[in-house]
Amino acid sequence: MIQTFRISFSLKNTYRVNKILYALKHIPLIRRLLPDALYSSRSLKNFANVLSILTEIFFTFFWKVLYFLLMVWLAAAMVADGNDAAAYLHILVCLTAVGAFINRHLMTASWERYYGIFLMRMDARKYTVSNHGYAILRVIVGFLPMSVISGVIFGTPVWTWFVIPVSVAGAKLAVDALCLVKYERRGGEFEDNPFTPGFLTGILVLLMLAAAYLLPYFGVVMPPAVSCTLFAACIPAGILGIRKILAFDDYLEINRQAFASMLSQTEALEHSQRDAGRKALTDTADAGSDKNGFEYLNELFVKRHKKILWKFSKRITWIILLVIAVVSAAIVAVAPDMTSGETEELFMGLLPATVFILYLINRGTSYTQALFVNCDHSLLTYSFFKNPDKVLCLFRIRLRELIKINIVPAAALAFGLSFLFYLAGGSGKPVNYVVIIVSVLCESVFFSLHYLTLYYLFQPYDAASDAKGAAYKIATSATYVACFVLWNVKISSVMFGVCCILFCVVYFVVASILVYRFAPKTFRLRV
C-alpha cells in the first residue's frame, strides 16, 4: 500500500508540476526566458517540484487558519463573553459535525485518480485507502497548531488541544464508513452518489449550523464537559470507521460510479449553462443598424446580449438605491446626535472603501467572456481582426459600452453617498460633494478600462470559455489585493479624488499604447 501511495503521489505531483510549467510558459514576461524544451528541463522541473511541495504544505495549514479565524474565533467573539471556552467548544463541535458530512475525502473524484486507477490500472483499494489516509493525516496536522492556539486563547484543558484534531479526523472517518454501509445496503447500486450530501444531510447541516451560531448568540451553549465528551466519542467512532474502510473491497466499482457521476454532473451543468445563455439572448433577426464597420458589429452584439450585459447592472442599481433608502431613514433618526465634523470624517473616510465595492460589482469579467464566446472566438481566426489600428478602434468602442454598463450602479452609489452625506449634516465645503461623485465615477471607468485591457493583453479564455491564462489570473488577483489594501489607506478626500482622476487618465493613455503595440500578438485564440 505504501508503494501504491508513493506512485499515486508522484502522479499527482507530476500533474501539478506540468500545470505550473504550463502557467509559466504563458506568462508574457517570463516565457521568453524559458527554453523551448520546457518540459524536459531538469532545473525547471526541480523548481516546479519545489513550488508544488510548498503549495501542498501551504494549503495544509491555510484553510485551517481561515476556518478558525472566520468560522470559530469570530463567532465565539460575538457571544456575550468573547473569551468563553464553553462557546468555543460548542461552536467547534457543531462545525465538526457539519464538516464530517459535507467535506469528505474518501470519494473525491479527480482526474489524477482517474489516471491512476483506470488508465494505469493501479489497485483501486490500495489507491483509495492510502490517499484517504494521507488526506486524514493532513487534517490532523493542519488542525493541530490552530487547536493549540485556540486552547491557549480560550483556556481549554491542555489535553483537548491534542484530542480535538484526532477527533475531527475520527468524525470524518465515521461518516465515510457510514457511506460505505449505505452503499452495501443498496446492493452496490445507487441513484445518487452516497458521497454527495442529499436532502436529509442538507437539513442536518442547516440544523447544526443553527446550533453552532444561533444558540450561542442567545446565550445557550453546551457545558465544556459535554463538548469534550462528544469530541472524545469521535475517536472510537473513527477507529470503527477505519476498520470498515479497510475491510471494504469494492473500491473499483464505487470509483467508477463516482467518476461517472462527476462527468454526468459536469455535462449537465454545461448543458444548463448553454440553455441559460440561449434564453438570455435577444432575438435580433429583425434588428438593424445604420452604422458601419466595427460600430455596426458592436451595436448588433449589444442588442443581442442586452439581457446578459444589463441584467446584473440594473439589479445591483436597485439594490444600492434600496440600501440608500434604508440608511437614509436611519440617518434621520440619529443625525441630530452627530456633529458636522463627525459626519464629514465618516463619509469622506468611506471613499477608499468604494474602490473595493466597485471592484465587486463591475461587469468586466462577464462582459469580456460574452465577447469571446459569442464574437471574438470566431473573429480571431481572421487576419484583419489583428491589425493594430483596427484592434485599438474596436477596443475603444467596447470600452465605451462597458463604461455605460458599469456607470449606472456607480452613479447610483456616487449620488447616493452624496445625498446621505448631505442628509447627515453635510459639509460647508461643496468640493466634498464633487469629490465623492467624481471619485466614484472615475473608479468605475478605471475598472471598465482595466478588465478590458487585461482581456486584450492576455486573452485568458480557452475553447471551453474558461479563464486559463496564468498571467490573467495573477493580474486579477493583484487587483483584488490592491483594492483590499486601498480600503484601509488613510488619505485626504481631495487628494484621493485628484489621484483617482489623474490615475484614470494616465491609465487610459498607457492602456491604449499597450493594446496598440501588443494586442495584435497577444489577442489570439488560446490552445
Side-chain angles (χ1 to χ4, degrees):
M1 190 171 291
I2 295 177
Q3 177 70 4
T4 301
F5 174 73
R6 188 186 66 80
I7 297 174
S8 66
F9 188 81
S10 177
L11 175 65
K12 177 181 177 181
N13 190 62
T14 301
Y15 184 78
R16 187 183 294 165
V17 165
N18 287 335
K19 288 176 65 176
I20 293 173
L21 293 176
Y22 177 85
L24 291 174
K25 190 63 175 176
H26 286 78
I27 297 178
L29 297 179
I30 296 178
R31 64 186 175 197
R32 294 183 180 180
L33 305 176
L34 300 178
D36 293 332
L38 178 65
Y39 294 96
S40 62
S41 173
R42 183 174 296 275
S43 59
L44 284 175
K45 281 192 173 182
N46 290 335
F47 172 71
N49 268 300
V50 172
L51 287 182
S52 177
I53 293 172
L54 291 176
T55 301
E56 187 82 1
I57 296 173
F58 174 77
F59 284 110
T60 297
F61 298 99
F62 175 75
W63 296 119
K64 306 303 183 295
V65 173
L66 207 62
Y67 170 78
F68 271 86
L69 285 176
L70 300 181
M71 301 190 68
V72 182
W73 292 358
L74 183 61
M78 290 181 178
V79 300
D81 185 0
N83 214 15
D84 189 357
Y88 158 68
L89 291 172
H90 170 93
I91 293 170
L92 192 57
V93 164
C94 296
L95 293 182
T96 297
V98 172
F101 279 96
I102 67 173
N103 188 19
R104 303 167 188 168
H105 301 87
L106 185 60
M107 271 330 232
T108 304
S110 65
W111 286 108
E112 296 96 330
R113 181 170 296 204
Y114 173 78
Y115 297 147
I117 295 177
F118 297 103
L119 296 186
M120 297 178 65
R121 304 294 183 182
M122 297 174 67
D123 186 283
R125 179 178 177 276
K126 292 180 180 180
Y127 186 103
T128 305
V129 173
S130 62
N131 279 272
H132 186 53
Y134 173 70
I136 293 296
L137 181 62
R138 287 187 67 196
V139 169
I140 296 174
V141 173
F143 262 90
L144 183 58
M146 297 308 299
S147 178
V148 172
I149 296 172
S150 300
V152 173
I153 293 175
F154 293 98
T156 58
V158 175
W159 65 269
T160 62
W161 304 355
F162 306 98
V163 167
I164 286 176
V166 181
S167 299
V168 171
K172 292 180 180 295
L173 290 167
V175 172
D176 287 331
L178 289 176
C179 290
L180 294 178
V181 171
K182 178 182 177 182
Y183 172 81
E184 289 177 333
R185 288 182 177 178
R186 299 180 68 171
E189 296 181 2
F190 45 82
E191 297 177 0
D192 299 315
N193 190 338
F195 298 91
T196 301
F199 176 76
L200 294 178
T201 302
I203 295 297
L204 177 62
V205 167
L206 290 177
L207 291 176
M208 295 307 298
L209 287 174
Y213 296 120
L214 292 181
L215 292 182
Y217 180 80
F218 292 106
V220 180
V221 295
M222 290 183 289
V226 175
S227 298
C228 291
T229 301
L230 291 174
F231 273 123
C234 291
I235 296 178
I239 294 174
L240 294 175
I242 292 175
R243 293 184 59 185
K244 180 60 185 177
I245 291 171
L246 293 176
F248 188 78
D249 200 34
D250 199 18
Y251 284 110
L252 179 60
E253 176 60 20
I254 205 170
N255 268 286
R256 186 190 65 78
Q257 295 191 39
F259 191 77
S261 176
M262 184 191 76
L263 290 180
S264 63
Q265 291 175 10
T266 303
E267 185 178 355
L269 179 61
E270 291 175 352
H271 281 301
S272 64
Q273 289 176 339
R274 284 196 294 267
D275 292 341
R278 293 190 191 100
K279 292 178 181 178
L281 296 180
T282 304
D283 185 9
T284 55
D286 299 328
S289 173
D290 57 355
K291 299 181 180 180
N292 298 312
F294 284 134
E295 289 285 0
Y296 174 82
L297 173 68
N298 179 73
E299 185 169 356
L300 290 184
F301 173 80
V302 171
K303 287 180 178 180
R304 182 168 176 78
H305 299 84
K306 187 176 182 180
K307 294 179 182 178
I308 298 175
L309 301 178
W310 283 95
K311 184 177 181 179
F312 179 85
S313 180
K314 293 178 180 178
R315 183 178 298 173
I316 202 67
T317 301
W318 283 111
I319 292 174
I320 291 173
L321 294 175
L322 178 61
V323 171
I324 290 172
V326 173
V327 175
S328 299
I331 287 177
V332 171
V334 301
D337 299 328
M338 298 177 63
T339 65
S340 177
E342 291 174 338
T343 301
E344 183 173 344
E345 182 180 359
L346 173 63
F347 277 88
M348 303 313 292
L350 286 175
L351 277 179
T354 59
V355 177
F356 192 75
I357 295 173
L358 290 173
Y359 164 80
L360 295 176
I361 66 176
N362 88 89
R363 300 294 290 156
T365 302
S366 60
Y367 179 76
T368 55
Q369 189 172 30
L371 281 175
F372 178 78
V373 173
N374 300 290
C375 186
D376 295 346
H377 184 272
S378 299
L379 290 177
L380 282 172
T381 59
Y382 296 95
S383 59
F384 77 88
F385 203 61
K386 299 179 181 181
N387 180 278
D389 293 325
K390 292 181 172 59
V391 168
L392 185 60
C393 176
L394 188 56
F395 171 80
R396 290 175 175 172
I397 293 172
R398 289 172 167 178
L399 175 61
R400 182 191 66 213
E401 295 301 328
L402 183 54
I403 289 175
K404 290 180 183 178
I405 296 169
N406 284 331
I407 207 73
V408 175
L413 180 64
F415 287 97
L417 285 177
S418 297
F419 174 73
L420 294 177
F421 185 32
Y422 173 79
L423 197 63
S427 169
K429 304 174 184 176
V431 67
N432 285 334
Y433 298 100
V434 177
V435 166
I436 292 176
I437 295 173
V438 174
S439 298
V440 174
L441 295 180
C442 284
E443 292 164 17
S444 175
V445 172
F446 162 74
F447 283 115
S448 302
L449 174 62
H450 180 61
Y451 277 92
L452 193 62
T453 301
L454 294 182
Y455 171 61
Y456 268 81
L457 294 182
F458 301 121
Q459 204 304 89
Y461 302 110
D462 60 7
S465 305
D466 295 324
K468 298 290 187 181
Y472 181 84
K473 291 182 179 180
I474 292 173
T476 53
S477 299
T479 304
Y480 169 81
V481 173
C483 293
F484 189 80
V485 171
L486 191 60
W487 190 347
N488 299 307
V489 170
K490 303 298 181 183
I491 185 174
S492 69
S493 57
V494 175
M495 180 60 68
F496 183 83
V498 172
C499 289
C500 282
I501 297 172
L502 292 178
F503 184 77
C504 192
V505 172
V506 172
Y507 194 90
F508 174 76
V509 175
V510 173
S512 298
I513 295 173
L514 292 176
V515 168
Y516 183 82
R517 291 194 59 185
F518 298 106
K521 297 179 181 178
T522 60
F523 191 47
R524 56 184 175 78
L525 293 175
R526 181 172 293 277
V527 295

